[in-house]
Amino acid sequence: YESLDDVKGVLSFDPKVPSALPAGFELNEITSTGSDFLQIIYTDNSDNRIFYRMAKGSDDVSGDYNAYKISKEVAIGDLKVTMRGNDKISGAVWNDGEFSYSILSDIGLEEEWVIDLIENIK
């Protein structure tokens, strides 16, 4: 899809997306699998990617089944977010009771960046 407005016509929900991104990242691609799943890919000028997913339900929508050295639960507001990674955070998953969310990164992100992304989802 070319824009969030375009994908809204397909989704059965109003998407919530990060309003602030790490420096250098911008929207690259918006996709949807059916009416209940949204994926947005953000890239920087080095083609590093951040995948953001939102879907109806409570399943882990990250698609990331790797084993990591770090796996911890972090409270962000009322949310309990599971962060996973090695030296940096490669992925974060959480659920708000109605929707499941995930953030994945090719290069790993600083924990503060992940927290900032989640706090700025609107």
Side-chain angles (χ1 to χ4, degrees), residues 12-91:
S12 62
F13 58 89
D14 192 24
K16 298 177 189 173
V17 298
S19 61
L21 298 169
F25 281 88
E26 59 186 41
L27 181 92
N28 180 274
E29 183 179 324
I30 301 170
T31 59
S32 174
T33 305
S35 64
D36 294 338
F37 180 89
L38 169 70
Q39 174 176 274
I40 300 176
I41 302 172
Y42 302 97
T43 56
D44 67 6
N45 55 3
S46 299
D47 291 329
N48 295 313
R49 298 176 297 176
I50 296 173
F51 297 83
Y52 169 73
R53 293 178 174 175
M54 177 184 180
K56 279 189 173 180
S58 59
D59 294 335
D60 179 341
V61 294
S62 69
D64 183 10
Y65 305 104
N66 295 308
Y68 294 103
K69 291 189 290 187
I70 301 166
S71 181
K72 63 182 180 177
E73 194 170 275
V74 177
I76 302 174
D78 294 336
L79 302 171
K80 291 182 180 174
V81 178
T82 301
M83 294 192 187
R84 305 180 289 226
N86 291 318
D87 298 325
K88 294 183 177 182
I89 302 301
S90 296

